[in-house]
Amino acid sequence: MGRVLVLYYSWSNGNTERVAKELADACGADVERIETAVLYPEDYDTTVDQGKREVEAGFEPELQPLKHDPADYDVIAVGTPTWWYTMAPAVRTLLNSRKWNGKVVVPFSTCAGWAGSTLDDIAGLAEGARIAEPLTVTFGSDGGDRMVTDPRKVTDWAGRVAALA
Ligand SMILES: Cc1cc2nc3c(=O)[nH]c(=O)nc-3n(C[C@H](O)[C@H](O)[C@H](O)COP(=O)(O)O)c2cc1C
Protein backbone atom coordinates (compact mmCIF):
# COMPACT_ATOMS: atom_id res chain seq x y z
CA MET A 1 0.00 0.00 0.00
CA GLY A 2 1.50 3.32 -1.08
CA ARG A 3 1.54 6.37 1.13
CA VAL A 4 -0.65 9.33 0.23
CA LEU A 5 0.01 12.99 1.06
CA VAL A 6 -2.52 15.74 0.42
CA LEU A 7 -0.95 19.19 0.04
CA TYR A 8 -3.19 22.17 -0.59
CA TYR A 9 -3.38 25.92 -0.55
CA SER A 10 -6.59 27.69 0.46
CA TRP A 11 -7.22 31.37 0.98
CA SER A 12 -10.79 32.64 0.57
CA ASN A 13 -13.29 30.43 2.41
CA GLY A 14 -11.53 27.16 2.92
CA ASN A 15 -13.16 25.70 -0.22
CA THR A 16 -9.97 23.93 -1.24
CA GLU A 17 -9.40 22.90 2.37
CA ARG A 18 -12.84 21.26 2.44
CA VAL A 19 -12.04 19.15 -0.64
CA ALA A 20 -8.54 18.36 0.67
CA LYS A 21 -9.89 17.12 3.99
CA GLU A 22 -12.52 14.91 2.38
CA LEU A 23 -9.83 13.42 0.15
CA ALA A 24 -7.44 12.89 3.07
CA ASP A 25 -10.18 11.21 5.12
CA ALA A 26 -11.06 8.85 2.26
CA CYS A 27 -7.41 7.92 1.74
CA GLY A 28 -6.29 7.84 5.36
CA ALA A 29 -3.68 10.30 4.10
CA ASP A 30 -1.44 12.81 5.77
CA VAL A 31 -2.64 16.31 4.92
CA GLU A 32 -0.94 19.70 5.10
CA ARG A 33 -1.95 23.20 4.17
CA ILE A 34 0.81 25.17 2.50
CA GLU A 35 1.15 28.80 3.51
CA THR A 36 3.13 31.74 2.20
CA ALA A 37 5.82 33.29 4.39
CA VAL A 38 4.14 36.66 3.85
CA LEU A 39 0.34 36.38 4.11
CA TYR A 40 -1.94 38.01 1.54
CA PRO A 41 -4.01 41.03 2.61
CA GLU A 42 -7.32 40.15 4.28
CA ASP A 43 -9.27 42.38 1.93
CA TYR A 44 -10.65 40.23 -0.93
CA ASP A 45 -10.35 42.76 -3.75
CA THR A 46 -6.83 43.75 -2.72
CA THR A 47 -5.72 40.11 -2.88
CA VAL A 48 -7.55 39.59 -6.18
CA ASP A 49 -5.52 42.50 -7.66
CA GLN A 50 -2.25 41.37 -6.11
CA GLY A 51 -2.92 37.81 -7.27
CA LYS A 52 -3.43 39.03 -10.83
CA ARG A 53 -0.09 40.83 -10.87
CA GLU A 54 1.66 37.81 -9.37
CA VAL A 55 0.11 35.29 -11.77
CA GLU A 56 0.98 37.48 -14.75
CA ALA A 57 4.59 37.77 -13.54
CA GLY A 58 4.91 34.05 -12.73
CA PHE A 59 5.84 35.12 -9.19
CA GLU A 60 6.78 32.37 -6.72
CA PRO A 61 6.27 33.53 -3.12
CA GLU A 62 8.40 32.07 -0.37
CA LEU A 63 6.56 29.36 1.58
CA GLN A 64 6.57 28.45 5.24
CA PRO A 65 8.49 25.18 5.74
CA LEU A 66 6.55 21.97 5.09
CA LYS A 67 6.16 19.46 7.92
CA HIS A 68 5.78 16.55 5.48
CA ASP A 69 8.33 15.75 2.79
CA PRO A 70 6.68 14.74 -0.50
CA ALA A 71 9.75 12.58 -1.18
CA ASP A 72 8.49 10.18 1.52
CA TYR A 73 5.18 9.51 -0.30
CA ASP A 74 4.08 7.60 -3.40
CA VAL A 75 0.92 9.56 -4.24
CA ILE A 76 0.78 13.32 -3.70
CA ALA A 77 -2.47 15.20 -4.24
CA VAL A 78 -1.87 18.91 -4.93
CA GLY A 79 -4.83 21.23 -4.46
CA THR A 80 -5.29 24.91 -5.22
CA PRO A 81 -7.98 27.51 -5.68
CA THR A 82 -7.99 28.88 -9.21
CA TRP A 83 -6.39 32.29 -9.22
CA TRP A 84 -6.69 34.09 -12.53
CA TYR A 85 -7.35 30.91 -14.52
CA THR A 86 -4.38 29.02 -13.08
CA MET A 87 -2.95 27.80 -9.75
CA ALA A 88 -2.35 30.17 -6.84
CA PRO A 89 1.28 31.40 -6.79
CA ALA A 90 2.04 29.42 -3.61
CA VAL A 91 1.37 26.18 -5.48
CA ARG A 92 3.69 27.24 -8.28
CA THR A 93 6.45 27.64 -5.67
CA LEU A 94 5.68 24.20 -4.23
CA LEU A 95 5.78 22.45 -7.60
CA ASN A 96 8.98 24.15 -8.73
CA SER A 97 10.85 23.53 -5.49
CA ARG A 98 10.52 19.73 -5.37
CA LYS A 99 11.28 16.70 -7.55
CA TRP A 100 8.26 14.69 -8.74
CA ASN A 101 9.95 11.90 -10.70
CA GLY A 102 8.44 8.51 -9.97
CA LYS A 103 5.52 10.01 -8.04
CA VAL A 104 1.83 9.89 -8.80
CA VAL A 105 0.45 13.44 -8.66
CA VAL A 106 -3.29 14.06 -8.33
CA PRO A 107 -4.09 17.69 -9.26
CA PHE A 108 -7.28 19.17 -7.84
CA SER A 109 -8.69 22.65 -7.83
CA THR A 110 -11.64 24.71 -6.74
CA CYS A 111 -13.00 27.65 -8.68
CA ALA A 112 -15.96 29.97 -9.01
CA GLY A 113 -16.84 28.77 -12.49
CA TRP A 114 -13.80 29.73 -14.57
CA ALA A 115 -11.25 26.99 -14.02
CA GLY A 116 -9.02 28.01 -16.94
CA SER A 117 -5.93 25.81 -17.30
CA THR A 118 -5.36 25.20 -13.59
CA LEU A 119 -5.21 21.38 -13.70
CA ASP A 120 -3.09 21.26 -16.87
CA ASP A 121 -0.72 23.83 -15.41
CA ILE A 122 -0.20 21.74 -12.27
CA ALA A 123 0.44 18.68 -14.43
CA GLY A 124 2.93 20.68 -16.51
CA LEU A 125 5.01 21.68 -13.47
CA ALA A 126 4.98 18.23 -11.83
CA GLU A 127 7.78 17.12 -14.11
CA GLY A 128 8.36 13.39 -14.32
CA ALA A 129 5.22 12.50 -12.36
CA ARG A 130 2.41 10.27 -13.53
CA ILE A 131 -0.72 12.42 -13.42
CA ALA A 132 -3.88 10.72 -12.16
CA GLU A 133 -7.50 11.64 -11.40
CA PRO A 134 -7.44 15.43 -11.93
CA LEU A 135 -10.57 17.13 -10.55
CA THR A 136 -12.02 20.62 -10.47
CA VAL A 137 -14.73 21.38 -7.91
CA THR A 138 -16.85 24.43 -8.68
CA PHE A 139 -18.16 26.70 -5.95
CA GLY A 140 -20.47 29.73 -6.19
CA SER A 141 -19.74 32.35 -8.82
CA ASP A 142 -19.82 34.99 -6.07
CA GLY A 143 -16.56 33.56 -4.72
CA GLY A 144 -18.44 32.10 -1.74
CA ASP A 145 -18.52 28.68 -0.11
CA ARG A 146 -21.57 27.09 -1.77
CA MET A 147 -20.49 23.92 -3.60
CA VAL A 148 -22.01 23.81 -7.09
CA THR A 149 -20.42 20.54 -8.18
CA ASP A 150 -22.47 17.55 -7.03
CA PRO A 151 -20.85 16.48 -3.74
CA ARG A 152 -21.22 12.83 -4.79
CA LYS A 153 -18.76 13.54 -7.60
CA VAL A 154 -16.18 14.57 -5.00
CA THR A 155 -16.86 11.52 -2.85
CA ASP A 156 -16.53 9.19 -5.87
CA TRP A 157 -13.28 10.85 -6.87
CA ALA A 158 -11.87 10.55 -3.37
CA GLY A 159 -12.63 6.82 -3.49
CA ARG A 160 -10.82 6.45 -6.81
CA VAL A 161 -7.77 8.28 -5.47
CA ALA A 162 -7.77 6.05 -2.39
CA ALA A 163 -7.69 3.05 -4.73
CA LEU A 164 -4.49 4.37 -6.37
CA ALA A 165 -2.47 3.88 -3.22
C1 LIG B 1 -6.90 36.14 -6.33
C2 LIG B 1 -8.11 35.36 -6.75
C3 LIG B 1 -8.29 35.06 -8.09
C4 LIG B 1 -9.37 34.24 -8.50
N1 LIG B 1 -9.47 33.91 -9.83
C5 LIG B 1 -10.46 33.05 -10.21
C6 LIG B 1 -10.54 32.59 -11.58
O1 LIG B 1 -9.72 32.92 -12.44
N2 LIG B 1 -11.55 31.73 -11.90
C7 LIG B 1 -12.47 31.30 -10.97
O2 LIG B 1 -13.38 30.53 -11.30
N3 LIG B 1 -12.41 31.71 -9.67
C8 LIG B 1 -11.42 32.56 -9.27
N4 LIG B 1 -11.34 32.94 -7.95
C9 LIG B 1 -12.29 32.34 -6.97
C10 LIG B 1 -11.69 31.12 -6.26
O3 LIG B 1 -11.00 30.27 -7.14
C11 LIG B 1 -12.77 30.27 -5.58
O4 LIG B 1 -13.62 31.04 -4.80
C12 LIG B 1 -12.10 29.15 -4.76
O5 LIG B 1 -13.02 28.11 -4.49
C13 LIG B 1 -11.57 29.68 -3.41
O6 LIG B 1 -10.94 28.62 -2.72
P1 LIG B 1 -10.40 28.78 -1.23
O7 LIG B 1 -11.58 29.10 -0.35
O8 LIG B 1 -9.78 27.46 -0.93
O9 LIG B 1 -9.37 29.89 -1.25
C14 LIG B 1 -10.30 33.77 -7.53
C15 LIG B 1 -10.14 34.13 -6.18
C16 LIG B 1 -9.06 34.90 -5.78
C17 LIG B 1 -8.90 35.25 -4.34
Side-chain angles (χ1 to χ4, degrees), residues 8-21 33 35 40-45 47-48 80-83 88 109-113 137-148:
Y8 68 96
Y9 181 71
S10 193
W11 181 79
S12 304
N13 317 293
N15 292 349
T16 314
E17 177 159 75
R18 174 173 164 192
V19 175
K21 288 193 165 160
R33 178 177 184 149
E35 193 48 272
Y40 286 90
E42 281 185 19
D43 179 66
Y44 192 87
D45 291 340
T47 290
V48 166
T80 182
T82 291
W83 277 23
S109 67
T110 67
C111 72
V137 183
T138 302
F139 285 79
S141 59
D142 58 351
D145 64 0
R146 184 177 58 86
M147 196 189 279
V148 170

Side-chain angles (χ1 to χ4, degrees), residues 42-125:
E42 281 185 19
D43 179 66
Y44 192 87
D45 291 340
T46 307
T47 290
V48 166
D49 290 345
Q50 183 177 330
K52 182 167 197 274
R53 288 193 300 275
E54 291 187 1
V55 164
E56 283 173 355
F59 178 65
E60 295 181 14
E62 191 186 326
L63 299 184
Q64 296 180 21
L66 286 181
K67 297 181 190 72
H68 300 84
D69 185 351
D72 295 338
Y73 295 81
D74 306 298
V75 178
I76 302 118
V78 177
T80 182
T82 291
W83 277 23
W84 294 100
Y85 313 107
T86 187
M87 71 195 85
V91 177
R92 170 174 285 274
T93 306
L94 172 77
L95 291 169
N96 280 335
S97 61
R98 305 276 166 168
K99 293 262 178 277
W100 305 97
N101 298 62
K103 305 293 183 190
V104 176
V105 167
V106 175
F108 67 99
S109 67
T110 67
C111 72
W114 301 271
S117 54
T118 308
L119 296 177
D120 285 346
D121 294 345
I122 292 175
L125 292 185

